[in-house]
Amino acid sequence: MTAGLALLTGCTPGGEVGPDGGRGGDPSPSEPATPPPETLDELETSLVESELVARAELEAEDGTSEVDATLDAGSLTAADAVTLIRQVRSAVGSLPVADYAVRTITLNFQGQNPDARLRFEIDPDDELLEETARIAAETPCADARVTDAETGDGVLAILDCRVPVAAEPVALAQTYSTLETMKPAGADTTWWQVLPEGPHVSPMLTVRHAPQEGRQELITDLAELVEAAGAENFSVLDDDDRLDVMATIDADQAQALGEQLWERLESEELGLRTVALDHPGQTGDYPYFRQE
């Protein structure tokens, strides 16, 4: 990776740096000095030709010098991902044609997770960058987005955590206790979204606060009720003192299941409770809906 990064600044690997900043030794005719990129298009080409990434897209918003960067790379360690993000941010800022600065950067790569994704909508400090890259590369939370746009409480990390396709509601609920171990240091707030593997899926469990004592037991109880009734598409939104429970079940069974779920929610001190049960093929048409 070091050799590839050198091409972004027009340096050729090899040779010693002399007192005047030049490289010692005879220049090799097979390795001419590469001029540094001067435009976003040239930087895109340099990134690909140096084999740092398979694809690079650098776009400046019209009328501004703010750049949105999207990078597709192959297999990277968390440390390599951190280095690549830092170097691309630096290279964009060094282009002479405009006072460019990276606004957002998205990196798709393969870590221990085959489909890891990092997206930064802020310029993170070293700790936050390194921790978020580690989580995306090495934990079930392979998709990590860091922003300050969703909340007024500082930096927000949103982590999408994939579980096996066959995960049943109870197995889903049991992931709750592991979420706290996948919280990036440096983030003021972390949201977790637990999804089954596969394309075009919705979160099964969304947690928008630090995991609370006793909450996994509650969610597990709700999951057991849903499984026993044969309901599908179980999902939970856990937002501090608010808990929403959703599932799909035949209309003639919705009332019985809805009352069971509601009774369990009433046993907890919550500011807002919601149970919404729809039936197959009728999304949004709830044979059971209650909120208090």
Side-chain angles (χ1 to χ4, degrees):
M1 175 164 287
T2 301
L5 292 172
L7 298 179
L8 299 184
T9 57
C11 299
T12 301
E16 297 295 324
V17 178
D20 60 353
R23 290 191 176 273
D26 296 331
S28 168
S30 63
E31 296 185 8
T34 302
E38 295 188 354
T39 67
L40 291 175
D41 287 344
E42 290 178 4
L43 180 53
E44 287 179 353
T45 301
S46 292
L47 286 165
V48 175
E49 289 183 347
S50 62
E51 299 184 351
L52 286 171
V53 298
R55 185 181 74 91
E57 183 176 307
L58 306 173
E59 293 189 350
E61 185 177 0
D62 290 345
T64 77
S65 59
E66 295 183 325
V67 175
D68 296 320
T70 302
L71 311 169
D72 293 342
S75 179
L76 297 176
T77 64
D80 284 343
V82 167
T83 298
L84 179 57
I85 287 172
R86 285 174 175 158
Q87 292 289 340
V88 170
R89 189 179 290 276
S90 175
V92 167
S94 298
L95 294 175
V97 295
D99 188 21
Y100 285 128
V102 171
R103 178 177 62 176
T104 68
I105 186 164
T106 302
L107 171 62
N108 303 300
F109 68 104
Q110 297 176 2
Q112 292 181 22
N113 288 306
D115 298 305
R117 177 178 179 268
L118 284 167
R119 178 175 173 81
F120 290 95
E121 298 173 6
I122 62 169
D123 185 0
D125 62 26
D126 290 344
E127 180 183 47
L128 181 58
L129 174 59
E130 292 165 4
E131 276 289 288
T132 309
R134 178 190 64 79
I135 288 170
E138 301 174 4
T139 79
C141 297
D143 191 313
R145 172 187 167 211
V146 178
T147 183
D148 61 358
E150 303 274 350
T151 174
D153 298 327
V155 175
L156 169 65
I158 302 174
L159 307 179
D160 284 357
C161 312
R162 297 282 175 160
V163 297
V165 173
E168 299 296 335
V170 171
L172 162 70
Q174 291 171 348
T175 66
Y176 187 96
S177 63
T178 68
L179 298 180
E180 185 70 20
T181 66
M182 295 177 282
K183 176 180 179 180
D188 300 295
T189 305
T190 303
W191 292 355
W192 294 268
Q193 301 180 142
V194 182
L195 305 89
E197 292 177 348
H200 312 302
V201 292
S202 299
M204 299 167 67
L205 173 62
T206 300
V207 179
R208 293 184 175 177
H209 61 87
Q212 300 180 19
E213 184 177 355
R215 193 57 60 88
Q216 176 170 293
E217 180 182 357
L218 169 60
I219 296 174
T220 300
D221 289 347
L222 297 169
E224 288 175 346
L225 292 171
V226 167
E227 279 193 0
E232 299 179 343
N233 301 322
F234 173 66
S235 65
V236 171
L237 168 62
D238 181 2
D239 191 356
D240 198 10
D241 66 344
R242 168 186 176 181
L243 200 76
D244 297 351
V245 184
M246 290 147 281
T248 301
I249 192 169
D250 290 340
D252 59 356
Q253 298 176 281
Q255 185 69 27
L257 175 59
E259 291 301 322
Q260 288 178 312
L261 295 171
W262 190 259
E263 182 180 354
R264 181 63 183 90
L265 288 177
E266 278 194 315
S267 67
E268 300 290 327
E269 292 185 4
L270 294 167
L272 181 65
R273 307 169 180 83
T274 303
V275 175
L277 304 178
D278 60 15
H279 52 101
Q282 299 292 327
T283 302
D285 180 14
Y286 300 109
Y288 185 94
F289 182 90
R290 186 171 179 182
Q291 184 179 72
E292 291 180 9

